[in-house]
Structures are given as structure tokens and as C-alpha cells.
Amino acid sequence: RAKQHSGNQVTFYEQGLQSEVEQRLWLEHDLLQAIGTPQLVLHIQPQFGCDGRVTGGELLARWTHPARGAVSPALFIPVAEETGLIGLLGSWSLQFACDALLSLQKLGETYPLSLNISPKQLMEPQFTEYIRDTLESKGVPGNRLIFEITEGVLIRDIQAVAQRMQALSLLGIRFSIDDFGTGYSNLAYLKRLPLYELKIDKSLVQDVPNDSDSIAIVQLILAMADQLNLRVVAEGVETEAQSRFLFEHACHALQGYLLARPMPFDAWLDVVRTRQRPGPGLSA
Ligand code: C2E
Ligand code: MG
Ligand code: MG
Ligand code: MG
């Protein structure tokens, strides 16, 4: 640790800076190595309707670093976005999603899967063509995929974003606004973009039904979504009280630790298999 003299702050500052740069370097270098290996996988977190049925699932990236253990996507996704690795990560996750959908289809499951798409990825020049080609070669209909985008996409040319989303909509792809309620305050974009769904951010969900401001905001989002014909999913649902409140207010689906944690996709297939075809020799 730094010594007690006048150079103190400089030393701390430089150390902090260096470790951040160092972190960036290993993140970038090791992530590139990890893509396409078992280090990097997608987990699935299912979503449930009020009747308890599964309505879909979100695919979430998980990276287990050989030396450093689990690295949070909150850490490596931003690095991937800044360094251009997100393109590679994105194509890998699309392949994964298509294969996952085919596996589910074999078990008779036809709900869509949600994939997080970063703004940079969405606006890549050949993105639509890439999606079309991949869906075609995998034999997966576009309406089995929901792309989750954040309001961060709105700092871009909204006209261009809308056009890109329209083109993808023609392939059947549906769009969800992730972390809704935390970002942009100008809601006019809601009618300019072809949207299917809003995902209420967990920071709002966490405070219902105790905090009156959060209750008001969540009710407002649900009422507005109803008027705009948008589906609403609440994320980060951790308690029975939250679940009850959200379903009582006609939220369409819930996602969160209360119902299921993100799990390896194979584990999900086992859940599906055992629930759907219970029989001798099979146990959950
Ligand atoms: P997100 O898309 O908003 O995902 C929801 C996050 O909430 C996930 O964090 C999930 O594990 C966590 N979560 C789910 N249920 C609960 C709950 O009940 N309580 C709490 N406290 N948290 C819950 P995770 O997996 O760490 O992902 C963080 C973010 O990283 C995601 O936020 C998403 O923006 C991004 N991300 C993850 N995977 C990908 C990916 O494959 N591609 C891209 N572009 N972004 C990704
Ligand atoms: Mg998401
Ligand atoms: Mg979210
Ligand atoms: Mg988030």
C-alpha cells in the first residue's frame, strides 16, 4: 500500500489506472481466446406466465476463465463492445440460440428465446443479411427469436435504427426494450420503433410492493404498455410479494430467481424432458 507522504495520491491514482488498463488487456486478450471454447457458454433463464407455464427464456453469457473463475458479463460485454469482439461473440451466440431452439423444438417446445443484442451489433452493416443467412442455414424461423436491446441504442440515428429493426422484423424477429424504466426519458421512440415487449428493470421490480414511487412507475409502465399493445416482462423477481403484485397488475411474464436462476442450457433441456415426459426411469 502507498506510504504516508505527499506522493500518496499520485501513487494510488497510477496504481488504479494501471490495474484498469491491465484488466482491459487480459479481458480483451483472453475473451478472444475463450470464444468458441467451453469457457464461454450461454445459460438460459426461463420466463413464466401467470398460469405457471413457460413463455420463453433469456440467453445469458457465462464465462469461466481458467485462472480467474467466473467473469461477469457486466465486465466483459462492455469490453467486447469497445474492442469489436462483440461481433464475434454475437455470431457465436446466434449460432448457439439457433441450436438451442432446434433442441427445444425436438421436445415439442415452441416458445421463443431472447438474445441480448448490443447497439453496436444491431447497427453493423451486414447484420440483417447475417441473421437471414444463419436462420436459413439452421432452418429456424425468425419468430422464435426476440432481440433484447437497451435504450442505449437511442443515442444513435433513430431513423437508421428503426429501418434496421423493420428489416429484421420482416424476418420475424421481435424486439424487446431491456432494462426499461432506467434510461431515456423521451418516450416518443416507443411509437417509432417496431416493438413487441418491454422488460421492466429489476431496480424497479425490487422495490414493489413496498415503495410507493416504484409501485406508481410500474403501474404506469403496465398501463402504457397495454395502450401501446406491448407485452411486459418483469425481470429480477425475487419474492412472492413481487410476483403477486405484478400478476395482479396484468404483467404478462416474470423472470427472476424466485422462479428460476439462469442455468446451463443442457440443464434446462433436462427439466423440459422430465416435466414433459414423466415416466419410469426418469426423475427430475
Ligand atoms: P440483462 O439482459 O438485463 O439480464 C438480466 C440480469 O439479471 C442477468 O445478469 C441475470 O443473471 C440477472 N438476474 C436474473 N434474475 C435475477 C434476480 O432475480 N435477481 C437479481 N438480482 N438478478 C437477476 P447477468 O447474467 O450478470 O447479465 C448482465 C448483463 O450483461 C445483462 O443484463 C445483459 O445486458 C448483458 N449480457 C449478458 N449476456 C449477454 C450476451 O450474450 N450478449 C450481450 N450483448 N449482452 C449480454
Ligand atoms: Mg436482457
Ligand atoms: Mg435487463
Ligand atoms: Mg441489464
Side-chain angles (χ1 to χ4, degrees):
R1 294 245 111 188
K3 289 171 233 122
Q4 294 294 315
H5 64 72
S6 57
N8 236 357
Q9 282 187 324
V10 174
T11 308
F12 267 121
Y13 178 68
E14 283 177 343
Q15 278 177 351
L17 205 72
Q18 194 183 29
S19 62
E20 217 171 272
V21 171
E22 266 171 14
Q23 191 184 56
R24 260 296 282 262
L25 282 175
W26 73 254
L27 273 171
E28 187 180 342
H29 175 267
D30 296 0
L31 182 59
L32 177 62
Q33 305 290 315
I35 297 173
T37 78
Q39 280 181 43
L40 199 68
V41 292
L42 285 172
H43 282 204
I44 182 172
Q45 187 176 33
Q47 301 167 348
F48 298 84
C50 61
D51 55 3
R53 290 174 67 105
V54 175
T55 60
E58 176 176 13
L59 297 173
L60 293 159
R62 291 291 177 266
W63 180 14
T64 311
H65 188 283
R68 298 170 196 269
V71 185
S72 165
L75 199 62
F76 69 79
I77 295 292
V79 172
E81 281 171 6
E82 286 161 33
T83 57
L85 277 179
I86 196 72
L88 197 57
L89 194 89
S91 17
W92 166 79
S93 63
L94 183 70
Q95 305 278 333
F96 187 107
C98 287
D99 293 337
L101 282 166
L102 292 172
S103 302
L104 286 172
Q105 195 168 301
K106 281 195 198 125
L107 296 172
E109 305 286 289
T110 54
Y111 43 76
L113 293 180
S114 299
L115 208 51
N116 293 284
I117 302 288
S118 86
K120 197 166 176 181
Q121 210 186 334
L122 179 72
M123 296 316 289
E124 247 158 40
Q126 302 299 314
F127 189 63
T128 311
E129 289 72 19
Y130 178 72
I131 300 289
R132 185 195 299 122
D133 292 350
T134 306
L135 291 173
E136 257 175 38
S137 69
K138 291 277 186 186
V140 171
N143 64 11
R144 306 283 307 284
L145 280 174
I146 296 175
F147 283 176
E148 295 189 5
I149 54 175
T150 58
E151 290 175 307
V153 81
L154 301 168
I155 59 167
R156 290 164 185 260
D157 175 1
I158 183 132
Q159 189 82 29
V161 170
Q163 273 171 12
R164 174 56 54 91
M165 288 171 68
Q166 297 290 0
L168 288 161
S169 297
L170 291 177
L171 303 176
I173 308 275
R174 286 172 285 178
F175 288 93
S176 176
I177 298 288
D178 203 352
D179 304 340
F180 188 78
T182 59
Y184 209 59
S185 58
N186 178 357
L187 295 175
Y189 77 88
L190 289 175
K191 58 177 189 181
R192 297 192 54 190
L193 301 179
L195 295 175
Y196 168 69
E197 177 186 277
L198 302 178
K199 286 188 89 171
I200 306 181
D201 190 66
K202 54 178 175 284
S203 63
L204 288 170
V205 170
Q206 254 148 29
D207 290 340
V208 294
N210 300 316
D211 174 61
S212 59
D213 289 342
S214 295
I215 290 179
I217 296 170
V218 168
Q219 282 181 320
L220 195 69
I221 292 174
L222 286 162
M224 181 186 68
D226 185 49
Q227 291 294 308
L228 294 170
N229 261 313
L230 294 171
R231 172 187 162 85
V232 183
V233 178
E235 72 176 12
V237 179
E238 293 181 353
T239 69
E240 287 290 351
Q242 290 161 358
S243 164
R244 208 173 309 116
F245 174 89
L246 288 158
F247 279 143
E248 271 169 16
H249 290 83
C251 187
H252 298 93
L254 307 187
Q255 180 182 338
Y257 296 166
L258 174 72
L259 304 131
R261 292 200 170 237
M263 64 186 97
F265 187 73
D266 284 345
W268 178 244
L269 285 183
D270 283 342
V271 170
V272 170
R273 249 183 232 118
T274 49
R275 278 204 194 143
Q276 285 240 314
R277 295 166 197 187
L282 276 180
S283 61

